[in-house]
């Protein structure tokens, strides 16, 4: 029995020593750093929103940005090709442009939703994001806001279609295409498609800014960002 107790004692000491060794390799995140970590992550997310998402709200913010430009869904690529074959390339071009115009319009509605998500971030969220992968902050926003953003974007895009004339243009495009002999008629839900693509574009731009801050020290433009992301560098 004495031998068994001795062995158990040794095992416990070894385990504690190993755990301490692992702990020593982790970044030192004490309670006094909680506010810094949360504040730094919120600042990083706000940078992504203000620097990158705002770009999408400008004219051609989607249309002339190849990273997020909304292209036609597969169902409509044959429509585009057919229109060009029958000499209606300008109408096809306009149809693509108005989809992107509607997305640019909708993104203007995103800021309050993002602000709420950032404001409600807990210290646990911030700590997990800081020590997470290169798009952990973007994933946090995506998980926290997608449902609300879709609900906000969808009616805006629907209204934008009317405002920018997309509904008339696409009605004309679909009518022209469906009148071509022997083609399979189409009736796509462009509001849903454009909403989904607009959301993809928003998070893609936020991910770019997050990666900049995580990997480029020069992108850490404040003392707080420098201090907080230095912890990430040591992980």
């Amino acid at each position: 029995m004495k031998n068994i107790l001795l062995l158990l004692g040794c095992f416990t000491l070894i385990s504690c020593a190993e755990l301490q060794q692992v702990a020593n390799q982790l970044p030192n995140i004490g309670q006094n750093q909680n506010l810094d970590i949360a504040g730094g992550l919120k600042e990083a997310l706000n940078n992504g929103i203000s620097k990158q998402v705002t770009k999408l709200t400008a004219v051609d913010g989607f249309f002339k940005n190849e990273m997020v430009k909304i292209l036609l869904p597969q169902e409509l690529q044959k429509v585009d090709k057919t229109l060009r074959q029958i000499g209606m390339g300008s109408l096809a071009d306009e149809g693509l442009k108005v989809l992107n115009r509607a997305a640019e319009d909708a993104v203007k509605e995103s800021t309050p939703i993002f602000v709420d998500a950032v404001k409600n971030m807990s210290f646990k969220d911030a700590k997990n994001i800081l020590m997470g992968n290169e798009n952990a902050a973007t994933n946090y926003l995506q998980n926290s806001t997608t449902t609300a953003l879709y609900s906000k974007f969808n009616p805006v895009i629907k209204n934008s279609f009317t405002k920018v004339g997309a509904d008339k243009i696409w009605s004309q495009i679909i009518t022209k295409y469906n009148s071509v002999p022997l083609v399979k008629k189409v009736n796509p839900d462009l509001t849903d498609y454009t909403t989904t693509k607009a959301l993809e574009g928003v998070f893609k731009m936020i991910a770019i800014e997050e990666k900049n801050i995580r990997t480029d020290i020069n992108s850490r433009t404040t003392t707080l960002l420098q201090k907080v992301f230095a912890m990430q560098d040591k992980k």
Side-chain angles (χ1 to χ4, degrees):
M1 179 62 72
K2 289 181 180 179
N3 290 337
I4 292 172
L5 290 173
L6 184 61
L7 285 171
L8 286 173
C10 290
F11 178 75
T12 302
L13 288 172
I14 292 169
S15 297
C16 290
E18 289 176 344
L19 287 173
Q20 186 59 50
Q21 186 177 7
V22 171
N24 290 339
Q25 294 173 354
L26 294 173
N28 181 21
I29 301 176
Q31 287 301 312
N32 61 332
Q33 293 174 307
N34 288 8
L35 291 177
D36 279 351
I37 292 173
L41 263 296
K42 289 178 181 182
E43 186 173 325
L45 285 171
N46 283 327
N47 280 357
I49 295 163
S50 61
K51 287 183 180 180
Q52 300 294 345
V53 177
T54 304
K55 293 177 184 178
L56 298 177
T57 65
V59 174
D60 290 330
F62 272 87
F63 190 61
K64 290 190 177 179
N65 182 341
E66 292 302 321
M67 288 185 292
V68 296
K69 181 178 180 179
I70 297 175
L71 303 176
L72 294 179
Q74 187 172 4
E75 181 184 9
L76 290 180
Q77 289 174 11
K78 57 187 177 184
V79 176
D80 182 89
K81 183 178 180 180
T82 301
L83 288 178
R84 295 182 190 282
Q85 288 174 342
I86 61 176
M88 302 191 70
S90 59
L91 181 60
D93 290 338
E94 191 62 23
L96 186 60
K97 183 185 292 184
V98 291
L99 294 185
N100 286 271
R101 287 284 181 268
E104 291 156 10
D105 205 32
V107 173
K108 295 171 186 175
E109 304 292 324
S110 66
T111 301
I113 295 172
F114 282 135
V115 169
D116 284 343
V118 173
K119 191 186 301 180
N120 292 328
M121 181 191 296
S122 67
F123 167 67
K124 183 179 179 181
D125 291 328
K127 183 178 173 183
N128 289 339
I129 290 168
L130 182 65
M131 297 305 161
N133 58 34
E134 68 177 19
N135 59 351
T138 304
N139 288 340
Y140 167 80
L141 274 186
Q142 197 163 4
N143 292 332
S144 303
T145 64
T146 294
T147 300
L149 286 174
Y150 186 95
S151 298
K152 196 76 172 178
F153 278 21
N154 196 262
V156 172
I157 285 177
K158 191 172 183 178
N159 291 333
S160 293
F161 278 177
T162 301
K163 188 169 75 173
V164 302
D167 53 347
K168 292 181 180 178
I169 290 169
W170 273 100
S171 176
Q172 185 181 358
I173 287 173
I174 298 302
T175 300
K176 289 285 186 186
Y177 176 78
N178 286 342
S179 68
V180 175
L182 302 179
V183 300
K184 182 180 178 181
K185 292 179 171 43
V186 296
N187 186 27
D189 184 350
L190 286 173
T191 303
D192 174 72
Y193 175 77
T194 306
T195 301
T196 301
K197 288 298 178 183
L199 286 171
E200 289 177 9
V202 164
F203 292 119
K204 188 174 288 187
M205 296 303 289
I206 292 174
I208 288 171
E209 184 63 21
E210 178 180 3
K211 186 175 181 180
N212 286 343
I213 291 174
R214 285 188 184 275
T215 59
D216 182 3
I217 294 176
N218 294 325
S219 293
R220 302 169 189 174
T221 53
T222 67
T223 302
L224 182 57
L225 286 176
Q226 291 163 7
K227 180 179 179 181
V228 169
F229 281 91
M231 299 178 203
Q232 170 222 252
D233 296 340
K234 296 174 184 177
K235 73 176 181 179

